[in-house]
Amino acid sequence: FQYGTVNPAGTHVHNHLTFLYPPNLRDSNGNLSTSPNYNPRTLKFSSSEEAETCKYCKKLTPASRQWWELKSKYFDTILFFKTG
């Protein structure tokens, strides 16, 4: 992964965010995706918690962090987020 270059397939940052891996996927209440109480409309994301377990989370820009915090509330929705 290198900023400012075209990423080959599989090297995008979101491919390395461990909280998105199916065994780690949780809703905003912390329910695993295998739980009957799992809510697929939300996602557990805490930038401070994720930075502890995900080396790529430490590299997220403030705008990316803000996007993930918003996306965690609307995980099943397409978001348009203006940056720059």
Side-chain angles (χ1 to χ4, degrees):
F1 173 75
Q2 189 174 16
Y3 286 106
T5 62
V6 175
N7 292 323
T11 62
H12 299 284
V13 171
H14 64 267
N15 291 333
H16 301 281
L17 300 176
T18 55
F19 62 90
L20 292 175
Y21 293 175
N24 302 334
L25 198 58
R26 295 177 181 267
D27 67 13
S28 61
N29 292 322
N31 296 311
L32 285 168
S33 59
T34 55
S35 168
N37 296 323
Y38 176 71
N39 179 0
R41 302 198 71 195
T42 64
L43 171 71
K44 181 170 177 56
F45 175 79
S46 167
S47 56
S48 58
E49 286 179 32
E50 301 310 332
E52 296 293 320
T53 60
C54 172
K55 70 178 183 172
Y56 288 93
C57 294
K58 295 175 188 172
K59 298 179 181 180
L60 291 176
T61 64
S64 295
R65 222 174 267 115
Q66 184 181 20
W67 187 87
W68 277 111
E69 287 169 3
L70 183 61
K71 185 65 174 171
S72 71
K73 297 175 185 161
Y74 305 98
F75 190 51
D76 66 339
T77 303
I78 296 172
L79 298 178
F80 294 97
F81 192 82
K82 185 176 179 180
T83 59

